[in-house]
Amino acid sequence: MSPIQGTRTGGRSARVQQAVHDAVRDLQRERSRSELSVPLVAQRAGVTPSTVYRRWGTLQELLADVARERMRPDDPPDDTGALDTDLKAWARQYLEEISSSPGREYVRDLVASEGEENSEQCNRYCQVKIRAILDRAAERGEPHPDADTVTDRVTAPIVFRVFFAPGDPTPEWAEELIDQVLADL
Amino acid sequence: MSPIQGTRTGGRSARVQQAVHDAVRDLQRERSRSELSVPLVAQRAGVTPSTVYRRWGTLQELLADVARERMRPDDPPDDTGALDTDLKAWARQYLEEISSSPGREYVRDLVASEGEENSEQCNRYCQVKIRAILDRAAERGEPHPDADTVTDRVTAPIVFRVFFAPGDPTPEWAEELIDQVLADL
DNA sequence: GGGTTAAAGCAAAGTCTTTGCGTTAGCGCG
DNA sequence: CGCGCTAACGCAAAGACTTTGCTTTAACCC
């Protein structure tokens, strides 16, 4: 797969992107969202603001880009030997991740960004993990729901409650969601 | 309930708020989000930008304020005579509302705003409608789920799919969600 | 190596945001 | 009813951010 004709992906461009992303992550750790600005990020990254504006357009798009990177699944989900416990382990971990203060910020940045690409990518990453778990269950011969069902009955309620309901959902509540899905098989 | 000591709620303040809200709604109809700005809104409303900045802080907060107003439930949900059809009618209407282009913008504005107040209010409005439907079912003596269950199994999947999944959910899919909840009673 | 050109730097112009201070008008009291 | 009080508005200047045209740099490809 060759890069698109006429766009440069390596060398200086790659270094600038890396430096800017690093600068954003650094600054997110030490300052609040409302204190961030393109000139501030650019200074930390050692580039000029116009470079950032030309590549990302706005601060919001840049933050969404960084957030998307952060959401990318790194490792395959833990294999605990059974569908029930695999899903519960994943659900607990996912809840913890997005209900944390930085996690909420990332999702917020994704939703706030212009296109729908970024939000959809976030869901795609989730489904990659869910499918890995379901595939293992299939190999073991366990009965299992499909990925869309898990999305509707587990991922969706978790995300919804974190963002729209007062108070923080507990890990126990997340596990109950799994019990209910599996009970309906 | 008296207004907070030292804040003015009527007279000129109320007129300014109304004018600014109206200006935002007007402009949202004729221009895209990225073309909106505080000075533009202020000009349309016939006030100075500094007034808007002092009252709302940022464009984002102002948009969230307007969006929250828009989400406020106006009428009680239709009474079709049975829980099943009441919930389905509500779900179809809700899906249509938030999957519309302006509807998505409103929710986006709410989530993007600083505090969690605005997003939580949005859910509270939903629950008001759901509870009204469930209360009617209780009066009729119909078995019915509780409001949190409906939130997790209907509202959450609808919102999640609109924002995080590619393609638009269909009204038929929303009705299936209702069938599934009621089947589990 | 050397030409080509995407992407970065620079700087000026334009727009948005903040802030201090004077003015207006709603509210409550006598 | 009129008067004082003061929250909220208007204005304008200062400051910060954003855009843009042009120049320079350095990957990429021959």
Side-chain angles (χ1 to χ4, degrees):
Chain A
M1 190 175 81
S2 67
I4 300 157
Q5 173 65 13
T7 31
R8 295 179 178 181
T9 56
R12 184 165 59 163
S13 290
R15 278 199 309 278
V16 166
Q17 163 158 349
Q18 186 66 45
V20 170
H21 275 218
D22 288 349
V24 169
R25 283 191 285 263
D26 272 11
L27 289 167
Q28 280 177 328
R29 232 173 283 121
E30 52 194 75
R31 305 173 87 117
S32 76
R33 163 68 210 259
S34 64
E35 292 173 318
L36 296 185
S37 72
V38 170
L40 187 66
V41 170
Q43 183 182 28
R44 178 69 63 103
V47 301
T48 60
S50 67
T51 294
V52 177
Y53 285 119
R54 279 202 241 258
R55 278 188 63 165
W56 284 278
T58 65
L59 178 62
Q60 214 161 53
E61 295 305 308
L62 170 57
L63 293 178
D65 194 38
V66 171
R68 190 163 39 70
E69 278 296 294
R70 278 238 152 174
M71 291 274 167
R72 174 151 57 198
D74 35 5
D75 308 309
D78 294 336
D79 189 342
T80 60
L83 175 59
D84 174 66
T85 46
D86 274 9
L87 281 175
K88 284 177 178 171
W90 169 77
R92 294 181 74 120
Q93 189 188 317
Y94 186 65
L95 172 59
E96 189 182 335
E97 183 179 349
I98 72 161
S99 65
S100 73
S101 181
R104 280 213 294 255
E105 287 293 323
Y106 290 138
V107 178
R108 201 201 293 280
D109 291 340
L110 290 172
V111 172
S113 74
E114 197 56 33
E116 294 159 41
E117 285 309 306
N118 287 317
S119 315
E120 290 177 8
Q121 187 63 51
C122 175
N123 178 36
R124 231 169 277 131
Y125 287 153
C126 260
Q127 290 226 353
V128 166
K129 289 216 167 192
I130 292 169
R131 272 190 239 276
I133 290 172
L134 297 179
D135 286 350
R136 286 199 304 240
E139 279 172 22
R140 289 188 207 105
E142 289 183 277
H144 59 85
D146 63 24
D148 285 343
T149 301
V150 177
T151 296
D152 288 342
R153 300 213 27 196
V154 183
T155 313
I158 288 175
V159 172
F160 187 87
R161 275 180 115 101
V162 167
F163 280 90
F164 295 98
D168 287 333
T170 64
E172 290 73 28
W173 171 80
E175 296 196 346
E176 270 173 44
L177 292 174
I178 308 288
D179 287 333
Q180 287 166 17
V181 179
L182 297 183
D184 279 4
L185 286 179
Chain B
M1 192 174 80
S2 67
I4 301 157
Q5 175 63 15
T7 32
R8 295 176 177 183
T9 57
R12 184 167 58 164
S13 289
R15 279 199 308 278
V16 167
Q17 164 158 347
Q18 185 68 43
V20 170
H21 275 218
D22 288 350
V24 169
R25 282 191 285 263
D26 272 12
L27 288 167
Q28 280 177 328
R29 230 172 285 121
E30 51 194 77
R31 305 172 87 115
S32 77
R33 164 68 209 259
S34 64
E35 293 173 318
L36 296 185
S37 71
V38 170
L40 187 67
V41 170
Q43 182 182 30
R44 178 70 62 104
V47 301
T48 59
S50 66
T51 294
V52 176
Y53 285 119
R54 281 203 239 258
R55 278 187 65 164
W56 284 278
T58 65
L59 178 62
Q60 214 162 51
E61 295 305 308
L62 170 58
L63 293 178
D65 194 38
V66 171
R68 190 164 37 71
E69 278 296 294
R70 278 239 151 174
M71 292 276 168
R72 174 151 57 199
D74 35 4
D75 308 309
D78 294 337
D79 188 343
T80 60
L83 175 60
D84 175 67
T85 46
D86 273 8
L87 280 175
K88 283 178 178 172
W90 168 78
R92 293 180 75 120
Q93 189 188 316
Y94 186 67
L95 172 60
E96 189 182 335
E97 184 180 348
I98 72 161
S99 66
S100 73
S101 180
R104 278 212 295 253
E105 287 293 322
Y106 291 139
V107 178
R108 200 200 296 277
D109 291 338
L110 290 172
V111 172
S113 74
E114 198 56 33
E116 294 159 41
E117 286 308 306
N118 288 318
S119 314
E120 291 175 7
Q121 186 63 51
C122 176
N123 178 35
R124 231 170 276 131
Y125 287 153
C126 259
Q127 290 228 353
V128 165
K129 289 216 168 194
I130 292 169
R131 272 189 240 277
I133 290 172
L134 297 179
D135 286 349
R136 287 199 305 241
E139 280 171 20
R140 290 188 205 105
E142 290 183 277
H144 60 84
D146 62 24
D148 285 344
T149 301
V150 176
T151 296
D152 287 343
R153 301 211 29 194
V154 183
T155 313
I158 288 175
V159 171
F160 187 88
R161 276 179 115 102
V162 167
F163 281 91
F164 296 97
D168 287 333
T170 64
E172 289 73 28
W173 170 79
E175 296 195 345
E176 270 174 43
L177 292 174
I178 308 289
D179 287 332
Q180 288 165 16
V181 180
L182 298 183
D184 279 3
L185 286 179

